[in-house]
Amino acid sequence: MGTPIDIEELRTLFLFEGMTPEQLAEVAASCEVRAYPAGGTVYRAGEPSIALWVLLDGTLRLVRHADGEEVVVNETDYRGSYAGAVRAFATSAGAAAYPTSLHAVTDCRFLRWPANDFAAFVHKWFPMAVHLFDGLYLGIRTTEATVRQREHLAQLGTLSANLAHELNNPAAATVRAAGQLRDRVAHMRQKLGLIASGPVDPEMIAGLITIQERAVEIASKKRDPLSPLQESDLEDEMVDHLEDLGFDRAVDVAPVFVSAGLDTTFFDDVAAEVGDALPSALAWLGYTLETEALMDEIEDASNRISTLVASIKQYTHLDQAAHQEVDLHPGIDSTLVMLGHKLGDIEVHRAYDTTLPPVPAFAAELNQVWTNLIDNAVDAMDGHGVLELRTYRDGDYAAVDVTDHGRGVPEEVQGRLFEPFVTTKPVGQGSGLGLDNAKRIVEKRHRGTIDFTTGPKGTTFTVRLPLSPG
């Protein structure tokens, strides 16, 4: 049970400023003061919303439960701060349950005003305000839901478009290589038939297979890349040598042999091994090496697709807890993969502090922040320039800098850059919601800060995230 509230103490709270003595007396008669020790719980989310609570002394913490995690909504020692049955007077109020939990961080005193008495008081003394605030609340909720839905749809569309762009190239390469591989295998079967039906004894065929395996082994070894001029000279040399050996299709297969790392001496051994069957043997060997190259291409394309899928998994964190200790760097890198098709000729310079400890965060939401900042940086440079990404420790915070060398933020919008629907992009190319969403995620969800510096040589956005949970 609590103790009565003194009317003079009521006058010191901003909620009751301007009330008449009669109104203050009615409030005092229906309220009581309750004390809670540090660490105590005033109420829990989901419990019946039976009272409005007003802070008299101490520090409170308001917590919302989302996805099985506790998210700090507010922590304050401001006298008069209130929570609980705030909308008990409203006809449009939802289920009568507390949407959050209220805890005492330090020893606290609260004014407890029963919800029914609070609602009756407001209806009696402020009937017009009831309708105004009820309508205003519904309007704000509807507008906010529409804006957030639009932003989420825009982000989903961006992710889908990025994914389609990034998957298209390796998928197309796989299809193309598979078609070519089928053709080469068919030709290999034909050439093998020609060799088998010609004047070639079994020992010679066995020797040819040994040569084939040796050629594949040579081709599998990594070599320093050739310049276009070097490659052209070697191909000309190869063509001349094969033609001297009596092979009239040297022009067709010389690039394949050079690409595989074979030299003219290798084909002298082949000629000595197979004799008159050299043309069919060289054609078969060419198809063999082309087949190996095509299989390598399919493997590379498939690995690229697997890498993209892994990056998407990292980007969305679908298989991980919503709130956890995260390394910031994989999230930034996976965002770069998602935006790969937009980078164009932009150089990405990373300066990561590898000693930076994990950050308590909602990883998937932070990736939305990196997406907005990097996407804006790319647009500011029109697809050309240097994108700098830097991480470092700033006291009790982990800091991330996203720097572009673009045109800078126009002076007339600098003061409103984080407001909804403010954008520096041309009409139709920006919603103006990205930075508003980034600010909400950083400041409201992570208790961090986001700010920027800008000038004619570029813009740097800095995100600071606390290294310890609140």
Side-chain angles (χ1 to χ4, degrees):
M1 299 296 293
T3 59
I5 180 72
D6 184 75
I7 290 181
E8 292 305 315
E9 186 172 13
L10 274 182
R11 294 182 189 276
T12 65
L13 301 172
F14 70 89
L15 281 178
F16 306 104
E17 290 178 354
M19 285 190 178
T20 65
E22 181 183 1
Q23 291 170 333
L24 288 172
E26 188 172 332
V27 172
S30 60
C31 294
E32 63 180 8
V33 177
R34 290 193 178 182
Y36 289 85
T41 297
V42 182
Y43 63 76
R44 295 187 183 278
E47 294 178 350
S49 182
I50 58 176
L52 175 70
W53 300 85
V54 183
L55 181 67
L56 299 176
D57 297 297
T59 300
L60 64 80
R61 177 180 296 150
L62 203 60
V63 175
R64 180 179 291 275
H65 300 266
D67 299 324
E69 303 288 341
E70 288 192 348
V71 181
V72 176
V73 176
N74 192 20
E75 185 172 314
T76 181
D77 60 359
Y78 188 74
R79 293 187 74 248
S81 298
Y82 52 89
V86 176
R87 298 187 63 248
F89 63 84
T91 57
S92 63
Y98 292 120
T100 57
S101 297
L102 180 61
H103 304 289
V105 178
T106 63
D107 292 343
C108 292
R109 287 195 311 133
F110 288 93
L111 176 70
R112 183 184 183 275
W113 195 351
N116 291 336
D117 293 341
F118 168 58
F121 179 87
V122 175
H123 278 277
K124 174 182 177 181
W125 293 104
F126 312 107
M128 184 177 179
V130 170
H131 300 294
L132 290 176
F133 284 124
D134 203 16
L136 180 62
Y137 177 82
L138 285 178
I140 291 175
R141 287 291 299 271
T142 301
T143 301
E144 183 182 53
T146 302
V147 169
R148 297 307 170 204
Q149 183 180 39
R150 179 181 174 186
E151 173 64 11
H152 292 157
L153 288 173
Q155 290 173 348
L156 179 60
T158 299
L159 177 61
S160 299
N162 293 342
L163 180 58
H165 275 282
E166 293 302 318
L167 287 175
N168 181 63
N169 289 338
T174 301
V175 173
R176 182 185 65 252
Q180 293 176 343
L181 181 60
R182 184 185 301 275
D183 179 69
R184 297 304 183 271
V185 170
H187 282 81
M188 284 181 64
R189 290 197 301 266
Q190 295 173 7
K191 294 303 178 185
L192 183 59
L194 291 174
I195 292 174
S197 63
V200 183
D201 60 40
E203 290 185 4
M204 188 176 294
I205 293 178
L208 181 58
I209 292 175
T210 300
I211 292 173
Q212 179 190 40
E213 294 300 322
R214 194 173 58 173
V216 170
E217 182 181 356
I218 293 173
S220 66
K221 295 179 179 179
K222 293 185 178 296
R223 296 173 299 278
D224 294 333
L226 299 173
S227 68
L229 182 59
Q230 290 174 320
E231 192 171 354
S232 178
D233 289 343
L234 288 175
E235 287 177 6
D236 290 341
E237 181 183 349
M238 182 68 69
V239 168
D240 293 340
H241 191 77
L242 294 179
E243 287 179 346
D244 289 343
L245 292 174
F247 186 52
D248 57 4
R249 293 185 55 242
V251 174
D252 296 330
V253 295
V256 177
F257 294 153
V258 170
S259 176
L262 303 181
D263 56 22
T264 55
T265 304
F266 180 89
F267 294 100
D268 290 337
D269 296 338
V270 176
E273 188 75 30
V274 300
D276 294 338
L278 180 65
S280 295
L282 291 181
W284 185 43
L285 193 57
Y287 289 133
T288 298
L289 295 173
E290 282 188 287
T291 298
E292 290 293 322
L294 289 169
M295 287 191 293
D296 288 342
E297 186 175 344
I298 291 173
E299 182 180 15
D300 290 342
S302 300
N303 286 336
R304 173 63 174 162
I305 292 173
S306 296
T307 301
L308 284 169
V309 171
S311 296
I312 295 165
K313 192 175 181 181
Q314 171 67 41
Y315 182 84
T316 58
H317 288 259
L318 290 176
D319 63 337
Q320 300 178 25
H323 192 271
Q324 57 183 318
E325 300 278 334
V326 299
D327 181 353
L328 296 177
H329 303 137
I332 298 173
D333 287 337
S334 67
T335 302
L336 287 172
V337 173
M338 293 298 99
L339 295 175
H341 78 282
K342 288 198 66 175
L343 294 178
D345 296 328
I346 290 176
E347 295 182 27
V348 179
H349 292 178
R350 297 175 176 85
Y352 291 163
D353 180 359
T354 56
T355 66
L356 199 63
V359 175
F362 296 91
E365 293 186 23
L366 278 186
N367 287 343
Q368 295 179 36
V369 176
W370 314 141
T371 298
N372 286 321
L373 297 184
I374 294 174
D375 184 62
N376 286 344
V378 171
D379 287 337
M381 294 186 286
D382 297 322
H384 302 277
V386 177
L387 171 65
E388 298 181 24
L389 302 172
R390 177 177 173 234
T391 63
Y392 54 97
R393 183 163 185 161
D394 185 5
D396 294 329
Y397 291 82
V400 179
D401 287 349
V402 179
T403 302
D404 67 68
H405 293 268
R407 51 188 174 272
V409 179
E411 186 174 352
E412 60 270 20
V413 300
Q414 290 181 15
R416 302 183 295 114
L417 195 58
F418 291 105
E419 295 179 8
F421 307 113
V422 174
T423 180
T424 61
K425 298 178 182 179
V427 176
Q429 295 185 20
S431 66
L433 297 172
L435 290 178
D436 168 58
N437 191 47
K439 182 180 180 70
R440 179 176 58 85
I441 291 172
V442 171
E443 295 186 353
K444 300 297 184 183
R445 296 285 278 170
H446 294 87
R447 301 177 297 104
T449 64
I450 179 171
D451 50 37
F452 70 96
T453 57
T454 188
K457 294 185 178 180
T459 302
T460 297
F461 280 88
T462 300
V463 174
R464 292 180 177 85
L465 301 166
L467 289 170
S468 59

